[in-house]
Amino acid sequence: MPELPEVETVARQLATSIIGERVEKLEFLDSKLVGDGVLLAARTISSVQRLGKQVVLFFSGSPLFVSVHLRMTGRLIWEPKKLGKPFAASEPRYVFEKAATEKSLRAIFHCTHGCLKFYDTRRFGTIELSTSLEKLTPRGLEPLSDACTWEALWQLLNRSHQPLKQWLLRQDRLVGIGNIYASEILFAAKLHPQTPAGGLSKREVQCLHREMQRILQEAIDNCGTTFSDFQDTSGSLGSYQNFLQVYGREGERCTRCRRGLIQRLTQGGRSTFYCERCQKMPRS
DNA sequence: CTCGGAGCCTGTCTGC
DNA sequence: TGCAGACAGGCTCCGA
């Protein structure tokens, strides 16, 4: 369930390992993944960056970009040749359990000094090759960019009748926010998830904007969120799960007001968590 | 144009 | 113990 902070973490840590690596070939092991891997032959990785929820590899020479979308269960793991002991790109101390995960190996970037392996249990992830960075760049606003002022957010929210929680998940408006952080941001901003997105006051938008940036930044500082009950706790080993106030806490008492209980509701087929007491629906 | 729902996919958990 | 069904969820597609 990588969202912006998890993808940012993966991109940053991957950058420390693979910049300067020369790709020999890109091998696809899943019929769902297609592309001309030969294009990458003898190209050198010059940069790794996050664009929305995608990890994008930049190459030196004529324009060529590889975008990896991790979706739900995708993981990128750098396995150096010499060390013999592979490790997660996002966590050097990670003990890799080969037998358990080899089945989900979907693609391999063969490089001079090792392999960058793409694992994806549920096969939702994608790898895309493009000569145009513009094509790969998501349309939505980057929530931590200079362009994302509260006024810009207000403009985007304007006129939408969609419930706020579902609006936050729309990548064509705002990129990077997923199910976990949407609940956390709304809790922090004391906004009910079913509040119509376009109906917020100026003050509420300012608060939403401030809390969104604070939570995403704090999550990045903690290397994202990892759930211990997740199939195997590999990939990014962040610690932000220790800071989650509402997500996955149905029935628990609110840590803020200490009186309300955390409720769960389904919006657009996905779980939303909120405090029944301090996230009131606005009077319409 | 906006919005909601189905479908994609597989491992885990729950109930019978 | 074994099986069926529900569930997790980012994103695209389709229909209203």
Side-chain angles (χ1 to χ4, degrees), chain A residues 15 17 30 60 66 113 120 122 134 144 149 165 169 176 237 239 263 275 280:
Chain A
S17 313
D30 184 339
S60 49
V66 173
H113 301 100
D120 186 16
R122 291 182 203 166
E134 208 180 337
L144 295 177
T149 58
K165 156 71 183 334
L169 299 180
L237 292 183
S239 58
Q263 305 290 319
C275 170
K280 292 276 190 215

Side-chain angles (χ1 to χ4, degrees), chain A residues 5 11 19 24 29 52 66 70 84 92-93 109 129 140-141 143 152 156 168 180 189 200 208 229 247 280:
Chain A
I19 288 179
E24 284 153 11
L29 303 169
V66 173
L70 305 172
R93 287 163 300 171
F109 295 80
L129 279 72
L141 193 58
L156 287 172
L168 285 175
I180 296 172
L200 299 187
L208 177 66
D229 62 347
Y247 188 84
K280 292 276 190 215

